[in-house]
Amino acid sequence: MAEKKLKVPEDFTWRNMEVGNIITEPGNASLRKTGDWRSMRPVLDKEKCIKCGLCWLYCPDGAVKLLDDGYYEPDLFYCKGCGICARACKKGAITMIEEGEK
Amino acid sequence: MSKRVGLEASYAVAEAVRMADVDLIAAYPITPQTHIPERLAEIVANGELDAAYIPVESEHSAMSACLGSAAVGARTFTTTAGQGLELMHEVVYVASSMRYPIVMAVCNRALSAPLSVWGDHSDVMAVRDVGWIQVFCENNQEAFDLMLWAFRVAEDPRVLFPVMVHLDGFTLSHVTEPLWLPEQEEVDKFLPAFKYQFALDPDKPMTHGAFGIPDIYSEAKKAQEVAFLNSKEIILQSWKEFADVFGRSYAPVESYKADGAKTLLLTMGSFSETAKIVIDEMQAKGESVGLVRLRLWRPFPYEELRQAVKSAETLVVFDRAVSSGMGGPVCSEVKAALFSEAVKPKVAGIVGGLGGRDMSVKDFERVINRGKEIAKSGSGEIIETVGIRG
Ligand code: SF4
Ligand code: SF4
């Protein structure tokens, strides 16, 4: 997969637009950072987490990723901060905090 | 061998769509366009055309269905009029921006209120900016010819833009006239099968209709505009090829007895046929008048228009719509096209023929004479109406 880019590169001009703005390379939506207009951020407390995967199931953006150690963690590159995972978690393992807070 | 037949213009349109062997028709009936979808429904039901016919619940749905159809590379047709064109307005933009070569016949109708089913160009003027190629027909032969041609130019891989073919409601849509119908082999020669490079295909996944972030939207619009302007060359080329096959030629701006005329009248659509008669009559009386008709409305034929009117003293532009607070929309565009010319006629705009109001030969004579007066007085900004009581 191509490197995640935050901006359209300067050398991509109007001449590079495909007819009708069609995207011929499938799956490149994953390159787009959708996490940069978030105002709240989910924070996972692994002490409380029982690895049930409900947050992963409920996230409307598929932003929760499964880690190698079996925990589920919001990926802040994509997470929009909606708070659904925090609501869905039965163990209170996810807390929403204001962006900018530590 | 072509054959000479008598057909209502709406049926001529349906016949062109049949001969073009379209794959999908999605349309909602609305006066004065009704005879076109009715006739096509009959043609499909009779097995005379192997096409999907979707009797949609609204014009918004009609155009939406057409998007899906074109996206898979199907030859696609729809038709509407007046309020129907307004209802599908949102989706009309999507068709051109996504470069889907949908063809649409529009039987021009006045917009409400007051509610009117009769003809004028207010519906056309509301879709000036949508990015479709747009042409006007004057008679049944042209309705047939331009409908057939529309598929050819829309689907050209160098074009890929939707095309609107305008025919005046009732004064053209419901008129029966003789016309030449070509043989199917001639049509097939002119109109090859539609091959769409980006047709949706599960084996070759791609995204149609992604959103455009601020980083990309301007580039998308620039690319679209450049391609749209470039389509003009293909429009001209395809009209040449049309003439080669069928022997009838079309041009972006067409003149009638205009050589050396001091005063020119400019019209669009079926009223041009009446205007021709007034030119004949006034010339017979020794007056120096001629007629210029805009055939290609979008992309606007700047160069051809300038050439056609440059040696006249006065140009009287006849509009069948009002741009509220602005005057006649065609007149304002014509003025804009001539603005930077060193040598140009004085332009006077007159509005008439609204909501089905007929324009007689006498009325057009009044338009020309009044236009001359306006131009002479130098008050070229005045917008006047013709044929209104009081
Ligand atoms: S806050 Fe919303 S977007 Fe972010 S991980 Fe949780 S559910 Fe997904
Ligand atoms: S829903 Fe809560 S407990 Fe379950 S995996 Fe997600 S964070 Fe852990």
Side-chain angles (χ1 to χ4, degrees):
Chain A
M1 178 164 309
E3 192 194 337
K4 287 175 181 175
K5 294 187 194 88
L6 303 189
K7 277 189 83 66
V8 177
E10 277 301 318
D11 61 354
F12 187 92
T13 74
W14 65 270
R15 290 174 206 277
N16 302 105
M17 297 296 299
E18 193 52 272
V19 169
N21 317 317
I22 285 162
I23 299 169
T24 50
E25 177 198 347
N28 70 1
S30 61
L31 302 180
R32 179 120 299 272
K33 185 174 191 177
T34 52
D36 56 0
W37 61 84
R38 187 177 54 233
S39 60
M40 301 282 282
R41 170 164 44 112
V43 177
L44 172 68
D45 181 352
K46 284 189 178 175
E47 296 290 310
K48 292 185 185 163
C49 175
I50 56 163
K51 304 179 178 177
C52 68
L54 270 184
C55 52
W56 174 84
L57 205 60
Y58 273 90
C59 173
D61 282 295
V64 177
K65 61 184 177 193
L66 174 58
L67 305 176
D68 290 341
D69 58 8
Y71 284 103
Y72 292 86
E73 191 177 52
D75 181 341
L76 296 180
F77 188 82
Y78 303 117
C79 166
K80 291 173 180 167
C82 67
I84 287 174
C85 54
R87 285 289 188 104
C89 176
K90 299 295 177 212
K91 304 306 278 183
I94 299 175
T95 320
M96 298 303 293
I97 64 165
E98 288 277 347
E99 271 299 345
E101 272 179 44
K102 284 271 159 25
Chain B
M1 261 303 284
S2 298
K3 61 174 186 263
R4 192 85 169 144
V5 297
L7 272 187
E8 184 184 298
S10 295
Y11 282 16
V13 167
E15 191 56 15
V17 172
R18 184 189 72 75
M19 297 191 94
D21 193 21
V22 304
D23 300 307
L24 181 132
I25 299 155
Y28 190 86
I30 178 170
T31 307
Q33 149 269 35
T34 321
H35 289 183
I36 301 174
E38 258 179 21
R39 178 75 189 119
L40 281 168
E42 197 180 357
I43 285 172
V44 172
N46 288 349
E48 295 165 51
L49 172 66
D50 180 17
Y53 187 100
I54 310 183
V56 283
E57 75 277 27
S58 77
E59 286 83 357
H60 192 279
S61 305
M63 188 48 68
S64 302
C66 287
L67 296 184
S69 167
V72 298
R75 181 164 288 164
T76 305
F77 176 78
T78 188
T79 172
T80 191
Q83 305 298 136
L85 187 54
E86 286 300 288
L87 184 55
M88 67 167 65
H89 194 86
E90 172 195 7
V91 199
V92 172
Y93 276 90
V94 182
S96 51
S97 316
M98 291 181 67
R99 309 283 300 274
Y100 289 151
I102 297 158
V103 170
M104 171 156 68
V106 180
C107 297
N108 309 131
R109 163 179 162 175
L111 295 179
S112 299
L115 178 63
S116 166
V117 296
W118 293 275
D120 72 23
H121 291 168
S122 49
D123 57 355
V124 186
M125 295 307 147
V127 294
R128 271 190 293 176
D129 302 332
V130 297
W132 286 50
I133 294 169
Q134 301 187 44
V135 290
F136 276 86
C137 313
E138 293 173 15
N139 56 42
N140 295 22
Q141 185 71 63
E142 294 183 5
F144 178 89
D145 288 355
L146 293 174
M147 198 57 59
L148 211 53
W149 161 85
F151 290 102
R152 163 72 187 262
V153 76
E155 294 167 4
D156 189 305
R158 297 162 297 175
V159 175
L160 288 175
F161 276 104
V163 179
M164 264 183 233
V165 178
H166 295 292
L167 53 155
D168 284 313
F170 292 117
T171 53
L172 181 53
S173 66
H174 285 55
V175 169
T176 298
E177 278 180 347
L179 71 149
W180 291 103
L181 275 192
E183 290 293 330
Q184 187 65 50
E185 297 86 78
E186 292 173 293
V187 172
D188 296 345
K189 196 167 134 201
F190 177 70
L191 185 62
F194 176 31
K195 287 202 182 66
Y196 180 41
Q197 189 194 345
F198 302 106
L200 287 178
D201 176 355
D203 294 331
K204 210 175 73 182
M206 60 182 102
T207 301
H208 286 216
F211 72 15
I213 52 171
D215 270 355
I216 215 73
Y217 187 89
S218 303
E219 280 71 18
K221 285 293 141 185
K222 165 89 178 175
Q224 181 184 341
E225 189 56 12
V226 169
F228 193 60
L229 293 173
N230 288 344
S231 74
K232 168 111 165 286
E233 205 182 311
I234 318 299
I235 291 171
L236 298 178
Q237 230 177 66
S238 55
W239 269 334
K240 264 200 204 90
E241 287 161 23
F242 187 94
D244 290 344
V245 177
F246 301 105
R248 291 179 293 276
S249 32
Y250 293 99
V253 175
E254 293 176 20
S255 296
Y256 178 76
K257 301 190 175 175
D259 275 354
K262 286 194 185 133
T263 301
L264 292 176
L265 172 66
L266 186 143
T267 53
M268 298 199 303
S270 63
F271 279 24
S272 307
E273 301 237 309
T274 313
K276 281 179 184 169
I277 301 172
V278 80
I279 298 301
D280 292 346
E281 290 187 1
M282 290 178 79
Q283 283 197 359
K285 286 189 264 179
E287 298 197 45
S288 181
V289 292
L291 180 66
V292 171
R293 298 114 68 206
L294 269 188
R295 156 107 36 231
L296 181 63
W297 174 231
R298 286 292 186 274
F300 192 87
Y302 286 99
E303 208 33 60
E304 290 83 354
L305 178 79
R306 287 174 189 144
Q307 286 302 323
V309 304
K310 67 173 185 212
S311 40
E313 287 170 13
T314 306
L315 175 63
V316 186
V317 180
F318 179 68
D319 258 290
R320 289 192 71 193
V322 183
S323 169
S324 272
M326 171 70 176
V330 181
C331 186
S332 66
E333 295 206 2
V334 166
K335 282 180 180 168
L338 298 176
F339 182 74
S340 53
E341 296 300 284
V343 182
K344 62 191 166 205
K346 286 190 171 143
V347 181
I350 294 194
V351 172
L354 301 182
R357 179 68 58 89
D358 198 17
M359 284 288 296
S360 65
V361 173
K362 271 267 154 291
D363 289 328
F364 271 116
E365 191 166 347
R366 267 182 226 121
V367 167
I368 293 173
N369 290 333
R370 182 62 195 137
K372 279 201 278 195
E373 278 171 31
I374 295 171
K376 200 189 268 166
S377 72
S379 53
E381 297 303 311
I382 296 177
I383 294 300
E384 293 211 343
T385 46
V386 66
I388 290 180
R389 293 181 297 278

